[in-house]
Amino acid sequence: MKVVVTGGAGFIGSHLIDRLARDQVGEILVLDNLFRGRPENLAAHQGNPQIQLVEHDIRDGDALRSHFDGADTVYHLAAQSNVMGAVTDVGYSFGANVVGTFNVLQAAQAAGVRRVVFTSSREVYGEAQNLPVGEEHPLNAKNTYGASKAAGELYAKVFHTTFGLETAVLRLANVYGSRDFGRVIPLWLTAAREGRDLVVFGGEQLIDFVWVDQVVEALIRASTADIIGTPINVGSGQGTSILDLAQRILAVSNATSKLDRQPARSAEVAKFEAKIDLMRSLLRLEPPTDPLFGLEQLVGHY
């Protein structure tokens, strides 16, 4: 079997490659423009003839079909995946997340791919009307990142209803783990290690953090589960206060850093906690009791 992973040299994508390689799924083609992806994330697979990294930007749809020929499954992770990055560079986020997703779906349909698994985001909901947030919550994106993911979801739905392409949609909460950068947990772990203050924007935020291995498991199961037409939240089902996170990082790092409180950033959603009933029933995934259990093993990484 051939599997294609767009964004496969990135944070979540490289962990998915690790899992696919362990499962010996067959041929694995990684497509990444290396904007956020890093070849060193795939260093463990150097020399593996079943894994090929191709530097390609999904905003260029011309060559995608040839890459997708013969593929059974496409895991579509390539995106501008940083909220503030999407706000500061609206053009790139639209091109990568909307145009790129359309190109992936079009090429997959033309190449006869069985299923595309699309990584959406909790950002499609915007500010929660109530907690926890279920999949039936209106899509009311607060920022350009959420808007681009909502557009991608709609295109995925239409490619299924119009062309028969199987499309599975996972709405990811705040994923954390090794190889990530530019987001709150790696930023704070690095600051704590270096003895710098942890910059806290706002402080009242409530965030649902989910360990990267749980997300990878959800992706694998979404490739075969009966979930077409049913977006699924993937999270811990627990909200963590951003101040509690800061204190937890200081504790696991044995750091003496202080908290530097700054005004909240208007583009960021204030409170989110995922309702994960569908994750449990359709993907048969149970989250860990402690959503931040992975912090300890990240201390040395960062």
Side-chain angles (χ1 to χ4, degrees):
M1 183 175 69
K2 176 181 176 180
V3 171
V4 179
V5 181
T6 71
F11 162 41
I12 301 173
S14 63
H15 284 276
L16 176 61
I17 298 300
D18 292 344
R19 171 62 183 276
L20 293 170
R22 287 197 301 271
D23 290 350
Q24 298 182 336
V25 299
E27 179 185 353
I28 303 170
L29 179 62
V30 178
L31 297 180
D32 204 299
N33 69 352
L34 304 182
F35 180 76
R36 283 183 62 86
R38 296 172 171 175
E40 54 265 34
N41 288 341
L42 302 175
H45 309 292
Q46 188 172 3
N48 186 336
Q50 292 183 303
I51 301 176
Q52 180 186 10
L53 170 61
V54 175
E55 187 173 351
H56 183 86
D57 194 317
I58 59 170
R59 292 177 297 172
D60 176 7
D62 291 341
L64 277 177
R65 176 171 176 172
S66 63
H67 292 313
F68 288 179
D69 281 341
D72 173 81
T73 307
V74 172
Y75 294 95
H76 177 37
L77 283 72
Q80 164 53 284
S81 58
N82 182 283
V83 170
M84 297 311 298
V87 171
T88 56
D89 193 344
V90 177
Y92 179 78
S93 65
F94 178 82
N97 297 7
V98 182
V99 176
T101 296
F102 171 81
N103 288 341
V104 166
L105 293 166
Q106 186 177 52
Q109 186 270 327
V113 170
R114 178 185 61 87
R115 181 174 294 194
V116 174
V117 180
F118 173 55
T119 51
S120 185
S121 168
R122 60 97 167 182
E123 293 287 345
V124 299
Y125 298 119
E127 294 291 359
Q129 296 179 356
N130 46 64
L131 296 177
V133 179
E135 290 84 355
E136 73 285 351
H137 188 286
L139 302 191
N140 188 26
K142 184 178 182 179
N143 52 56
T144 52
Y145 175 67
S148 69
K149 285 296 186 178
E153 284 195 22
L154 287 173
Y155 273 111
K157 178 181 179 180
V158 168
F159 266 83
H160 171 62
T161 57
T162 303
F163 303 112
L165 174 67
E166 292 185 9
T167 54
V169 175
L170 300 183
R171 293 173 178 163
L172 308 184
N174 287 63
V175 188
Y176 76 105
S178 61
R179 305 174 194 159
D180 192 18
F181 66 95
R183 281 184 275 261
V184 63
I185 287 179
L187 288 172
W188 282 0
L189 283 170
T190 302
R193 182 196 66 198
E194 297 174 352
R196 294 183 286 108
D197 290 346
L198 277 56
V199 179
V200 181
F201 292 99
E204 307 305 317
Q205 298 96 320
L206 193 71
I207 299 177
D208 189 322
F209 289 102
V210 55
W211 182 242
V212 65
D213 288 348
Q214 182 178 341
V215 172
V216 167
E217 186 64 39
L219 287 164
I220 295 293
R221 298 187 185 196
S223 69
T224 56
D226 184 15
I227 59 172
I228 305 304
T230 306
I232 296 180
N233 290 336
V234 178
S236 70
Q238 299 183 50
T240 298
S241 158
I242 200 73
L243 292 178
D244 288 346
L245 171 66
Q247 294 299 333
R248 181 83 173 263
I249 285 177
L250 293 178
V252 299
S253 304
N254 293 316
T256 57
S257 304
K258 306 298 183 183
L259 302 186
D260 178 9
R261 300 286 295 272
Q262 298 290 330
R265 297 182 290 196
S266 60
E268 295 181 325
V269 172
K271 296 182 185 298
F272 180 80
E273 177 184 309
K275 185 178 180 181
I276 55 174
D277 293 1
L278 292 183
M279 184 186 84
R280 285 182 162 122
S281 62
L282 298 181
L283 296 182
R284 301 192 180 280
L285 272 177
E286 188 66 30
T289 303
D290 176 12
L292 297 179
F293 76 95
L295 285 181
E296 285 80 358
Q297 62 182 283
L298 289 181
V299 172
H301 179 82
Y302 288 106

